[in-house]
Amino acid sequence: MLPRGRPRALGAAGLLLLLLLLLTGFFLLGGYPEYGQLREAAAYDGDPPAGHGGHNRSACAPQPPLPPKCELLHVAIVCAGYNSSREVVTLVKSMLFYRKNPLHLHLVTDAMARNILGTLFRTWMVPAVVVSFYDAEELKPQISWIPNKHYSGLYGLMKLVLPGILPSSLTQVIVLDTDVTFASDIAELWALFAHFSDKQVIGLVENQSDWYLGNLWKNHRPWPALGRGFNTGVILLRLDRLRQAGWEQMWKPIARRVLLTLPATSLADQDIFNAVIKEHPGLVQPLPCVWNVQLSDHTLAERCYSETADFKVIHWNSPKKLRVKNKHAEFFRNLYLTFLGYDGKLLRRELFGCPSQLPPGAEQLQGALAHLDEEDPCFEFRQQQLTVHRVHITFLPHEPPPPRPHDVTLVAQLSMDRLQMLEVLCRHWPGPMSLALYLTDAEAQQFLHFVEASPVLSARQDVAYHVVYREGPLYPVNQLRNVALAQALTPYVFLSDIDFLPAYSLYDYLRASIEQLEPGSRQKAALVVPAFETLHYRFSFPSSKAELLALLDAGLLYTFRHHEWPRGHVPTDYARWREARVPYRVQWAADYEPYVVVPRDCPRYDPRFVGFGWNKVAHIVELDAQEYELLVLPEAFTIHLPHAPSLDLSRFRASPAYRDCLQALKEEFHQDLSRHYGAAALKYLTALQQPQSPA
Amino acid sequence: MLPRGRPRALGAAGLLLLLLLLLTGFFLLGGYPEYGQLREAAAYDGDPPAGHGGHNRSACAPQPPLPPKCELLHVAIVCAGYNSSREVVTLVKSMLFYRKNPLHLHLVTDAMARNILGTLFRTWMVPAVVVSFYDAEELKPQISWIPNKHYSGLYGLMKLVLPGILPSSLTQVIVLDTDVTFASDIAELWALFAHFSDKQVIGLVENQSDWYLGNLWKNHRPWPALGRGFNTGVILLRLDRLRQAGWEQMWKPIARRVLLTLPATSLADQDIFNAVIKEHPGLVQPLPCVWNVQLSDHTLAERCYSETADFKVIHWNSPKKLRVKNKHAEFFRNLYLTFLGYDGKLLRRELFGCPSQLPPGAEQLQGALAHLDEEDPCFEFRQQQLTVHRVHITFLPHEPPPPRPHDVTLVAQLSMDRLQMLEVLCRHWPGPMSLALYLTDAEAQQFLHFVEASPVLSARQDVAYHVVYREGPLYPVNQLRNVALAQALTPYVFLSDIDFLPAYSLYDYLRASIEQLEPGSRQKAALVVPAFETLHYRFSFPSSKAELLALLDAGLLYTFRHHEWPRGHVPTDYARWREARVPYRVQWAADYEPYVVVPRDCPRYDPRFVGFGWNKVAHIVELDAQEYELLVLPEAFTIHLPHAPSLDLSRFRASPAYRDCLQALKEEFHQDLSRHYGAAALKYLTALQQPQSPA
């Protein structure tokens, strides 16, 4: 606990300063006395209080002093579920874009949001941002007794219990809804704490609708509020004073009393905050309207922002969010879209002149990057390999598959140019999928719309999409595979590529095969799914092995890369497969790269292989080195569809330097292999000695 | 002219204010008196003047009053050539992002930049932005006598003559180099005019390198300057006073005198401004260093920005631009990249509370969009058709083809997913091309890097790339074609698609055919280039008609869309083409959509067809209606390469609503046709009555 004297002392200095600034304001604005008045005075009279700016932006008078340069600002946000986890990122981006101070984010999350945002912030590596998580589950008992009709559900109410759960050393915090967007430096908002009188504990912007006046429609009975009431999308909380005043003993009785006459809260925490303020108006410090411009359907916010172009925080407080209809929605949408599509990696900006606050791992990473030799022909490859991509796992709502001992997840990765494969893949694979998508922030939004517009994709809750944000010139294929693999939730995974369509029956057949072979009980096994290809981009997919063989005989199908790179699949022994009725074992050979089904805990892909070449081959070597038995499944097949060569592939074909570097990486891979597996790895090196480049 | 008394009065008020604010500053910053000093005082002593911010950002002391809310601010920029025209867009985006005032841009341009930026601003349609162009060609005589070694060439010197060419009603202007990036509201910079004393005419930031001290290397003889001199990347010019003082009679004699002892200017206008200031130090108002943070290789800028995170304008004043090496380059690059990739359409923001300043056409457009019926099944199509896309013509350096009477330009359009076609297309078509690219701002940068990294593409100066910025859900195929078509500079155009590779000989053969047929002298002709397709994505391109026929007979090639949509090309009469030795005439038939060579002034494509379907068919109808003779060329051919179906195509196939809407658009097209061509258009309607949907 801080000594009680300190905040008071601050308050006194603040008051003195205010007085001086006020004087300055009057001096500057002799002609406009109405703008010199304290905003507090205007807050209760029914008009939204005037903000900074407007004509009076020509003076700095209403600006309280900004916090010291490197002062840490605290922000608390309640965030639960997949959609809010996506939404909050846009808020965070807008905040980071304008901020100049170190930030500590206190996130109250459910398990999903914890997982998503934990991964996101760990990989985002923004300097001078600390993130703490608080488990929403533990808070539920404190508020679950309150009936609530608001779309935010129980989570909306959790803001009420923040004083009890945030660290007791924390004296003040800004509390934000996930649906707000910053258009200015949050330090300016933090500075408003200095306006608080000794008795004030909560800073709020007046509600910008007539909701609490109770005249919106017949029989509308809102919770009690002071005038128009206050909106709780943006809150300044003096935690120290709330704790001292016994906040919990304050709001709970009031809420209980109102609930005797009203069936439930309509607007969650906001109803309760307003009921408390109605009884104790001295607790509230009204904030300038520009700090919470509320864009609901029937908003009165125009009264606030038409005076000033200088709004500070936009609040999408309608269930319709961006689709809300009001006169200037388009304008505010553009601001929102700015940060929605903003490349998050650009926010990895240091704060000049503040002590270094690098996130975990960043220092080592900078060191490793600094040690790279720019003259090394593999420089670009090594740089790409070291790149830490931001990762947003389960970008869209997802229902984890029920635990089943032989279930298998299809694992693949793609970028924007393969999006059109998703629908047809869903038709071929009715089971769970874990897909890594390599996208820019803007593309991630296009992807979202693509899924929303597709009945086939929207119907599937068992496909998990993990967005890996683009950075660097080379496609980090193995890093993507590892992300998708790590997020697979079934005991087995089918390691596929996005251009392949599995046999319609493959999902069922694989589960049956896994059950039958019980590979868990004997040696580790990798089940090989034989791969074929069609060179026609419209063809009728074979519904059985017999049909497939007929197409093969007719020259309408080929074994995969039959013409360009037969070594990749020759060991599968297609002649034997033709006749096989039971699974058969095959031996590893150089450059073998079959599509396999393995337990989820299989070795990870080697991230040194980026762009085109050797990325799957190295993984199969690793499986063989770890003594996975390669078993070809007699009824399994998957077919590659034609597509234009990817940019990486064209580059590989064009550039001798690219090939030379790949050769160097291969050699390093083998050195690591020898180090790891000793003499057993010799056979791979011997095989490498007779290299055969892809045709 | 303004009465001279007014600026004086402002100056006095400003001083008084400064004094008061200074007091506030001292009060607040008791512990840091060094930050309270006036910036002016610090300007000459060798250290870059301290900016706003730093520790003293906790006071608003150094902020002069902002200009009134809707005051028009004037900005002048000299911009010449393709690369500067691209560069200036990033500057303009950063300026528009932070601005809250109407802006008037005064652009001094050569013919190329005039053309590019004229188109860009016309299609950008940003409210409250006015653009005026001034012809750089006309200014050359005024400065061409000055020998200059700077990379900006003659254009760098043009800032010197701005007082003479800008409208005489203009009293003050901000002058910017194209390589600066804003990180704050330009109104704050404009506000610094208020600091000018009665005698001061020019506001500049001190140079942040030791260049003018003359000690950088042996025998380095810089132009004369006051101390470190000043940088002219950001200038505040009091035009009224410069005109009164006879600016031209001031700088010219000084420049002539220095040139007696020095062979040339090294830093263009900057040398001359500094020489003038050296003789008349009273003319200059030193500006805070944060308004021109100079990031050259040996910059001393860190002294400025390490004190403050609150820099205002970044200046990439090294010939290396973004590739400059200095300690914090990465940080500033991120800021630059923010605007480089920023979606320019988001800047179409109105200024609240200022009188409407809609650009030409915007009002009608808004009206038309407002009249659309959201329930109309074609709503999305009509909205897309009405969308005005920002267009950046000749995005990359381009050399127009020399005028030749039978020359022909290949015209096509593409988006990011077809980029890999460009190299191979260049190998097949050695002649001029005009290509429209449908890209986001971020993709346009990827495209730029793609071209730079490709020796094949960088070697070609006769390929003009026109970027049409993405907006809306449907691919505006015909709008793109029209952009590419409008920019073709030869008398004839070959209207192709990006997935087609022409015969290696086609360019020469077409020119010979055009010369031979002299279509200009008889009836208008459309020369048909027969289209084929391969279903294999690797195949060996036939080097002659004989080879092509052999492949056709072997079943390795087909006539285009032979399986899916034969009607599109049947009228070409492939059987006849096989034997033909001379061009032969064919008749239009329903759904015919051949690839043709026509005079550049041919009809435009109908922009109502967006996404997939009927976009070329309608154009051929139009050609036929205008009595173009369809002549098939016996030795010409072009071959379609396979690719994954585009998203638009998948959508068309999936959605009955999409097809219904296409049908409605077709009918409207025919109604327009009848209205335009009368009875002659009857045959098209009759043909439509027997519709046959694409298979």
Side-chain angles (χ1 to χ4, degrees), chain A residues 82-230:
Chain A
Y82 300 100
N83 291 332
S84 288
S85 297
R86 222 172 43 241
E87 197 174 71
V88 79
V89 177
T90 307
L91 156 58
V92 170
K93 282 187 193 170
S94 73
M95 201 160 58
L96 292 178
F97 182 83
Y98 294 105
R99 68 103 180 218
K100 286 164 188 150
N101 285 67
L103 296 178
H104 189 148
L105 305 183
H106 302 267
L107 304 181
V108 180
T109 52
D110 63 355
M112 288 171 268
R114 169 73 181 81
N115 200 11
I116 295 168
L117 297 174
T119 309
L120 182 71
F121 281 107
R122 185 171 45 72
T123 53
W124 201 344
M125 299 183 115
V126 185
V129 170
V130 179
V131 184
S132 301
F133 288 96
Y134 304 83
D135 187 357
E137 209 52 47
E138 291 176 13
L139 308 181
K140 283 189 178 169
Q142 297 184 53
I143 41 152
S144 55
W145 57 274
I146 308 168
N148 176 24
K149 293 186 291 190
H150 191 246
Y151 60 86
S152 62
L154 215 47
Y155 297 100
L157 293 162
M158 290 190 182
K159 281 181 271 175
L160 289 166
V161 301
L162 285 173
I165 60 158
L166 294 177
S168 58
S169 57
L170 210 58
T171 57
Q172 56 188 41
V173 69
I174 293 172
V175 186
L176 300 172
D177 277 359
T178 55
D179 57 355
V180 305
T181 310
F182 272 80
S184 59
D185 185 354
I186 191 170
E188 295 177 38
L189 179 58
W190 186 264
L192 298 178
F193 274 117
H195 282 279
F196 278 48
S197 74
D198 277 7
K199 301 276 176 252
Q200 291 174 338
V201 296
I202 181 167
L204 291 168
V205 172
E206 195 185 40
N207 208 34
Q208 290 162 11
S209 85
D210 284 343
W211 173 278
Y212 285 109
L213 298 182
N215 55 11
L216 279 185
W217 52 85
K218 254 193 193 171
N219 300 326
H220 168 48
R221 287 182 54 218
W223 275 53
L226 210 57
R228 270 208 181 80
F230 292 90

Side-chain angles (χ1 to χ4, degrees), chain A residues 458-496:
Chain A
S458 338
R460 290 287 288 267
Q461 298 295 304
D462 56 351
V463 181
Y465 301 100
H466 316 293
V467 175
V468 177
Y469 288 101
R470 291 182 76 101
E471 189 171 351
L474 294 165
Y475 188 75
V477 55
N478 279 357
Q479 293 184 54
L480 294 171
R481 286 189 175 122
N482 286 341
V483 167
L485 183 50
Q487 298 303 321
L489 302 172
T490 54
Y492 293 88
V493 287
F494 170 36
L495 305 174
S496 185

Side-chain angles (χ1 to χ4, degrees), chain A residues 396-410:
Chain A
L396 301 184
H398 175 242
E399 215 161 273
R404 281 183 297 221
H406 309 110
D407 205 1
V408 53
T409 299
L410 186 149

Side-chain angles (χ1 to χ4, degrees), chain B residues 3 33 66 82 90 120 139 168 206 236 257 274 305 337 365 380 397 399 416 440 450 523 576 614 619 627 675:
Chain B
L66 287 180
Y82 299 100
T90 306
L120 182 70
L139 309 182
S168 58
E206 195 185 40
L236 301 194
R257 204 181 327 125
N274 273 297
Y305 63 74
L337 293 175
L365 188 65
E380 237 182 11
E399 215 161 89
M416 212 56 190
T440 64
F450 179 78
Q523 203 196 332
R576 183 166 173 192
W614 243 66
H619 188 242
E627 298 180 342
R675 220 168 286 137

